[in-house]
């Protein structure tokens, strides 16, 4: 898990791909996205076994 | 008459899913078929599984999760933090040179990269992809206290992006041509 606190890789996107993502990030978050993110936290908390490597 | 697919979907219990950080010393997974039903493996998922999970090698930087549904191993995914750049940024100077700003580049965007997703052919059509997306999006929100990670991103086929990830889970995707695309969704 601690591996996830540091970026290990770089992805070089085509300019149009990068700009598409930048524009998307500049848009305001919509209610459906907010709902997904809220559902995601609840799901993760219920299913997290990040320190559990048992069988 | 009910189709098999409908019956399977209604019987699937997401509470039976278990996500475990892969430990090659403890987790011995069986041979699993991750190819498309036509036998193709355009995202090299089968190859990755056989090299790094089935054979127990763990010499990559990413975190690998293996997935159980009750007592059956049914899939895996691997994740990593990555920086997104534009190819142009390799050519544009990022800093002022001798007092002149010769180009502008706003800097890399930090994202959670889902490097590989594999779901057993026998467990397709249960919507397990959605649960993987929920798990990853939840995980990254919990480690993203400083809000530096902006996206979850992964490479997939255009067909899957168009038929599943965009309409069902609102993942946007890049480009208008080509077989493979980047699917992405903000996490803050």
């Amino acid at each position: 898990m601690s591996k996830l606190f540091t970026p290990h890789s770089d992805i070089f996107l085509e300019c149009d791909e990068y700009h598409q993502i930048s524009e998307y990030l500049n848009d305001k978050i919509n209610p459906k996205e907010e709902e997904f993110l809220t559902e995601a936290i609840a799901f993760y908390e219920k299913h997290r076994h990040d320190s559990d490597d048992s069988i | 008459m009910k189709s098999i697919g409908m019956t399977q979907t209604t019987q699937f219990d997401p509470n039976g899913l278990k996500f475990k950080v892969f430990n090659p010393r403890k987790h011995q997974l069986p041979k699993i078929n991750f190819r498309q039903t036509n036998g193709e493996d355009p995202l090299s998922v089968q190859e990755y599984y056989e090299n790094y999970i089935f054979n127990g090698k763990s010499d990559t930087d990413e975190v690998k999760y293996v997935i159980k549904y009750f007592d059956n191993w049914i899939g895996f995914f691997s994740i990593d933090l990555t920086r997104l750049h534009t190819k142009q940024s390799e050519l544009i100077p990022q800093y002022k040179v001798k007092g002149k700003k010769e180009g502008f580049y706003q800097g890399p965007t930090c994202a959670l990269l889902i490097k590989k997703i594999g779901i057993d052919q026998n467990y397709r059509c249960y919507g397990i992809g959605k649960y993987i997306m929920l798990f990853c999006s939840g995980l990254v929100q919990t480690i993203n206290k400083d809000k530096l990670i902006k996206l979850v991103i992964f490479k997939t086929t255009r067909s899957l992006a168009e038929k599943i990830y965009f309409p069902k889970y609102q993942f946007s995707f890049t480009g208008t041509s080509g077989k493979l695309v980047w699917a992405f969704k903000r996490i803050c």
Side-chain angles (χ1 to χ4, degrees):
Chain A
M1 270 295 290
S2 57
K3 287 179 178 178
L4 290 178
F5 291 95
T6 316
H8 294 101
S9 60
D10 294 280
I11 296 173
F12 288 90
L13 300 166
E14 298 296 337
C15 292
D16 56 339
E17 292 176 325
Y18 186 86
H19 288 304
Q20 187 184 344
I21 291 172
S22 295
E23 283 183 13
Y24 165 80
L25 287 174
N26 287 335
D27 289 342
K28 268 195 163 181
I29 190 164
N30 67 47
K32 263 197 163 179
E33 288 174 318
E34 275 183 357
E35 192 182 314
F36 182 89
L37 292 176
T38 304
E39 187 182 355
I41 289 177
F43 185 84
Y44 176 70
E45 289 301 330
K46 191 170 180 181
H47 289 268
R48 66 190 299 174
H49 292 276
D50 49 3
S51 59
D52 171 18
D53 60 1
S54 64
I55 295 169
Chain B
M1 191 172 133
K2 262 186 179 177
S3 73
I4 290 171
M6 278 299 288
T7 305
Q8 285 177 337
T9 301
T10 53
Q11 288 176 347
F12 186 77
D13 176 8
N15 291 322
L17 289 171
K18 292 170 195 161
F19 298 83
K20 295 173 179 291
V21 176
F22 177 57
N23 181 339
R25 284 169 295 177
K26 289 189 174 178
H27 299 140
Q28 292 184 328
L29 276 71
K31 278 234 170 198
I32 299 176
N33 189 353
F34 292 107
R35 290 185 175 83
Q36 294 182 343
T37 46
N38 63 9
E40 290 182 7
D41 186 24
L43 296 160
S44 305
V45 174
Q46 189 71 38
E47 186 186 329
Y48 182 95
Y49 176 75
E50 287 172 9
N51 280 332
Y52 297 109
I53 296 182
F54 181 73
N55 288 325
K57 292 181 194 170
S58 196
D59 53 354
T60 53
D61 283 331
E62 65 264 25
V63 177
K64 302 177 199 70
Y65 278 88
V66 285
I67 308 170
K68 258 186 166 178
Y69 182 59
F70 292 102
D71 291 332
N72 298 319
W73 294 108
I74 62 160
F76 76 96
F77 59 91
S78 61
I79 52 179
D80 192 14
L81 269 196
T82 192
R83 289 170 295 243
L84 305 177
H85 310 259
T86 169
K87 283 182 179 173
Q88 206 178 16
S89 68
E90 292 176 302
L91 307 172
I92 298 173
Q94 294 176 32
Y95 305 103
K96 289 180 180 180
V97 180
K98 292 180 183 175
K100 287 184 179 176
K101 192 176 183 182
E102 297 189 353
F104 175 74
Y105 172 55
Q106 80 184 66
T109 301
C110 195
L112 183 83
L113 171 68
I114 306 178
K115 289 188 91 164
K116 298 287 176 192
I117 304 173
I119 298 168
D120 185 336
Q121 257 193 19
N122 298 317
Y123 283 84
R124 306 268 165 86
C125 304
Y126 287 115
I128 293 168
K130 177 184 178 180
Y131 300 114
I132 294 173
M133 295 303 147
L134 284 172
F135 187 88
C136 291
S137 300
L139 184 155
V140 73
Q141 285 181 88
T142 63
I143 65 170
N144 197 27
K145 303 298 179 201
D146 51 9
K147 308 277 185 195
L148 287 177
I149 309 168
K150 304 293 184 191
L151 293 163
V152 171
I153 190 167
F154 60 99
K155 192 166 259 188
T156 187
T157 62
R158 172 171 301 282
S159 171
L160 279 174
E162 287 175 343
K163 291 177 186 166
I164 297 184
Y165 291 114
F166 177 68
K168 289 192 176 178
Y169 316 138
Q170 297 87 48
F171 270 78
S172 300
F173 58 95
T174 58
T176 53
S177 61
K179 193 176 179 184
L180 300 180
V181 299
W182 289 105
F184 55 92
K185 190 180 185 78
R186 82 176 89 234
I187 54 98
C188 63

